[in-house]
């Protein structure tokens, strides 16, 4: 799960990470009051107006602007609220800005980078730091990988003080700043660990002209499977920022992730779903989604899954690939038939069924009078569905 910058800053501040002073607003006429409060009641101090969307690259896209007065802050907030902001991370459709964060304007001396993620290769958290902050870190990683410092963290002992100091010295922070920076990094790691975050990124991490260290930007993602332990974080979810079909799928307890191909997939079991996506790709096609209806899905869930797949306008053909273990093929067949009856056959559907009650399931499909293409094995299924998606 992702959250907004202003929310990430609130979470981080609880663990002692220093962040700029600011307030989030949803109505432009609140901007003036916030800007004045940030400058002791005076209206002539600089503030930064920042669009809150779940995507980076806002600065370049016009979603981060400096206002020289409270009056200008209100004007900028009015422009930003309701606008569709397009950045390199939003895709061409962009995102509607529903909230803006108003922060004290800071005089920045250096822009650095900090990032904490789980490193899959080593199987542990890695703390990254770079002097090349404020820019796209992907570009730094591609062109100057040596400029990204990394400290791998043994989860059993946690982030060690010597690692914090090593990063601080690596960032060329002067002696007086090293202890403060080490405390900042340690707080960031504590927040990452305690909230079961999968990402905590500060870009830029700044040194101001008056020598303070602050998280000027903040991004946090959380492990969905750990959210049950963090009801306070779960509350920060903003479904406006999520794919509507994915939100619908979560509400039905389905594991659905939208992709950009045109072959819809309904599969039981995550492993089989992954294999199905691979074989579609191998047959020259592109999956439109990942959908695991689960090992023990009922007829209703199969129906909902089918409905969600067909809700994606890019889908040109559907592959239903079920191995009936705990799940019985006749239950799947009856869910698919009832879904196809009520939703209509908008696109061709290929079915590959195997396992418990397979004969009964196949009989139900063929006797339904609906035009399913029945496949023999996964390879045949993938080839059939890819050909149908192409011609459809
Ligand atoms: P992003 O583009 O979505 O990553 O948004 P950021 O929060 O990182 O802001 C983009 C850039 O705006 C930063 O890299 C800074 O250069 C600049 N910026 C943001 N806030 C301030 C501020 O208070 N003072 C100054 N001088 N620059 C700022
Ligand atoms: Mn940023």
């Amino acid at each position: 799960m992702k959250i907004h910058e202003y929310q990430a800053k609130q979470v981080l501040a609880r663990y002692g990470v220093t962040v700029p002073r600011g307030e989030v607003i949803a109505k432009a006429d609140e901007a003036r009051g916030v800007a004045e409060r940030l400058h002791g009641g005076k209206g002539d101090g600089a503030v930064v107006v920042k669009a809150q969307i779940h995507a980076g690259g806002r600065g370049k896209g016009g979603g981060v602007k400096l206002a020289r007065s409270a009056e200008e802050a209100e004007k900028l907030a009015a422009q930003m609220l309701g606008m569709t902001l397009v950045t390199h991370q939003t895709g061409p459709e962009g995102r509607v800005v529903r909230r803006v964060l108003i922060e004290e304007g800071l005089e920045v001396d250096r822009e650095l980078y900090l990032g904490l993620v789980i490193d899959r290769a080593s199987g542990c958290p890695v703390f990254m730091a770079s002097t090349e902050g404020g820019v796209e870190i992907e570009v730094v990683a591609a062109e100057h990988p040596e400029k990204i410092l990394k400290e791998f963290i043994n989860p059993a002992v946690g982030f060690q003080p010597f690692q914090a100091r090593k990063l601080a010295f690596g960032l060329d922070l002067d002696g007086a700043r090293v202890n403060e920076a080490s405390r900042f990094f340690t707080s960031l790691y504590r927040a990452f660990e305690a909230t079961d975050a999968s990402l905590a990124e500060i870009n830029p991490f700044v040194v101001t002209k008056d020598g303070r260290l602050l998280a000027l930007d903040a991004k946090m993602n959380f492990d969905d499977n750990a959210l049950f332990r963090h009801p306070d974080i779960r509350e920060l979810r903003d479904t406006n920022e999520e794919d509507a079909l994915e939100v619908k799928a979560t509400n039905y307890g389905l594991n659905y992730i939208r992709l950009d191909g045109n072959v819809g997939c309904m599969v039981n079991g995550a492993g089989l779903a992954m294999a199905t996506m691979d074989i579609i790709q191998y047959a020259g096609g592109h999956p439109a989604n990942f959908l695991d209806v689960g090992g023990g899905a009922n007829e209703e869930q199969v129906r909902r899954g089918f409905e969600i797949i067909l809700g994606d306008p890019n889908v040109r053909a559907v592959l239903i690939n079920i191995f009936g273990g705990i799940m019985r093929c006749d239950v799947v067949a009856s869910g698919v038939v009832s879904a196809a009856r009520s939703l209509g056959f908008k696109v061709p559907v290929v079915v590959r069924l195997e396992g418990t009650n397979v004969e009964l399931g196949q009989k139900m499909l063929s006797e339904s009078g609906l035009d399913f293409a029945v496949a023999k094995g996964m390879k045949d299924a993938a080839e059939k569905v890819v050909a149908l998606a192409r011609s459809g």
Side-chain angles (χ1 to χ4, degrees):
M1 189 185 89
K2 295 181 179 174
I3 59 173
H4 288 291
E5 173 197 4
Y6 77 92
Q7 297 169 320
K9 284 176 169 168
Q10 285 166 3
V11 171
L12 292 171
R14 272 189 243 147
Y15 293 88
V17 175
T18 45
V19 299
R21 292 180 304 127
E23 286 178 45
V24 72
I25 58 166
K27 293 197 206 82
D29 59 14
E30 294 165 330
R32 193 184 290 250
V34 175
E36 286 172 359
R37 266 197 294 285
L38 290 172
H39 290 285
K42 290 203 279 298
D44 58 354
V47 294
V48 179
V49 182
K50 307 184 79 177
Q52 299 297 292
I53 56 168
H54 284 188
R58 295 164 303 165
K60 280 187 194 158
V64 178
K65 291 202 167 138
L66 183 77
R68 309 234 161 252
S69 65
E71 194 185 331
E72 201 184 341
E74 181 170 337
K75 218 180 283 167
L76 289 172
Q79 281 168 18
M80 259 182 226
L81 285 164
M83 83 184 269
T84 301
L85 181 58
V86 179
T87 81
H88 67 97
Q89 285 186 7
T90 60
E93 69 281 7
R95 293 279 173 74
V96 177
V97 179
R98 291 183 164 84
R99 288 195 162 78
V100 295
L101 174 63
I102 314 271
E103 276 185 347
E104 54 178 328
L106 297 166
E107 295 213 61
V108 174
D109 180 25
R110 295 182 68 200
E111 296 201 0
L112 310 168
Y113 173 91
L114 301 177
L116 261 164
V117 288
I118 305 289
D119 178 60
R120 281 155 200 263
S122 61
C124 63
V126 59
F127 203 132
M128 296 177 287
S130 177
T131 52
E132 309 304 295
V135 294
E136 284 168 49
I137 197 67
E138 293 82 358
V139 177
V140 182
E143 292 170 7
H144 294 285
E146 76 286 356
K147 290 197 172 164
I148 300 180
L149 312 171
K150 289 183 183 171
E151 284 297 322
F152 293 89
I153 300 162
N154 180 330
V157 297
F159 185 55
Q160 296 294 300
F162 81 88
Q163 295 182 297
R165 285 193 297 272
K166 226 165 120 185
L167 291 174
F169 282 115
L171 290 175
D172 281 329
L173 291 167
D174 59 60
R177 294 281 92 68
V178 169
N179 281 341
E180 193 189 338
S182 301
R183 271 198 301 277
F184 186 106
F185 302 163
T186 306
S187 300
L188 182 61
Y189 179 72
R190 282 205 306 131
F192 174 84
E193 189 188 37
T195 60
D196 288 306
S198 53
L199 169 94
E201 187 179 60
I202 310 297
N203 188 21
F205 164 56
V206 299
V207 185
T208 60
K209 293 224 166 95
D210 56 3
R212 292 185 294 149
L213 301 175
L214 293 151
L216 203 63
D217 191 7
K219 183 173 174 173
M220 287 187 94
N221 296 351
F222 302 94
D223 181 347
D224 291 348
N225 293 314
L227 284 175
F228 75 97
R229 316 205 278 198
H230 306 287
D232 53 327
I233 285 174
R234 205 204 309 243
E235 267 176 34
L236 304 178
R237 183 167 178 198
D238 181 356
T239 49
N240 284 319
E241 291 284 332
E242 296 176 21
D243 184 284
L245 289 173
E246 291 186 11
V247 173
K248 198 168 157 187
T250 352
N251 294 339
Y252 296 132
L254 297 166
N255 244 322
Y256 170 89
I257 293 158
R258 197 165 173 180
L259 303 167
D260 50 17
N262 61 10
V263 179
C265 310
M266 180 152 79
V267 190
N268 67 326
L272 189 59
M274 296 298 283
T276 304
M277 291 171 30
D278 283 351
I279 204 163
I280 287 170
Q281 198 93 20
Y282 192 66
H286 298 285
N289 64 279
F290 169 95
L291 171 60
D292 167 17
V293 292
N298 55 30
E299 190 183 313
E300 169 75 1
Q301 280 175 309
V302 171
R303 231 170 62 79
R304 294 299 184 190
F306 202 64
E307 193 179 297
I308 286 166
I309 291 175
L310 294 182
D312 176 354
N314 295 334
V315 168
R316 293 273 166 275
V318 176
L319 171 56
I320 299 176
N321 186 11
I322 302 286
F323 181 80
I326 299 168
M327 178 125 164
R328 299 186 341 245
C329 291
D330 55 311
V331 171
V332 177
S334 104
V336 170
V337 168
S338 96
R341 284 229 169 86
S342 62
L343 302 167
F345 254 66
K346 293 184 197 142
V347 294
V349 179
V350 177
V351 185
R352 180 256 177 179
L353 282 178
E354 212 56 75
T356 310
N357 288 1
V358 61
E359 290 84 6
L360 182 56
Q362 254 149 11
K363 189 160 156 261
M364 288 166 78
L365 292 181
S366 58
E367 284 175 359
S368 69
L370 296 165
D371 190 18
F372 294 103
V374 177
K376 293 248 166 297
M378 277 182 64
K379 185 161 180 279
D380 181 43
E383 283 163 359
K384 278 202 169 102
V385 79
V386 170
L388 285 166
R390 221 172 253 151
S391 60

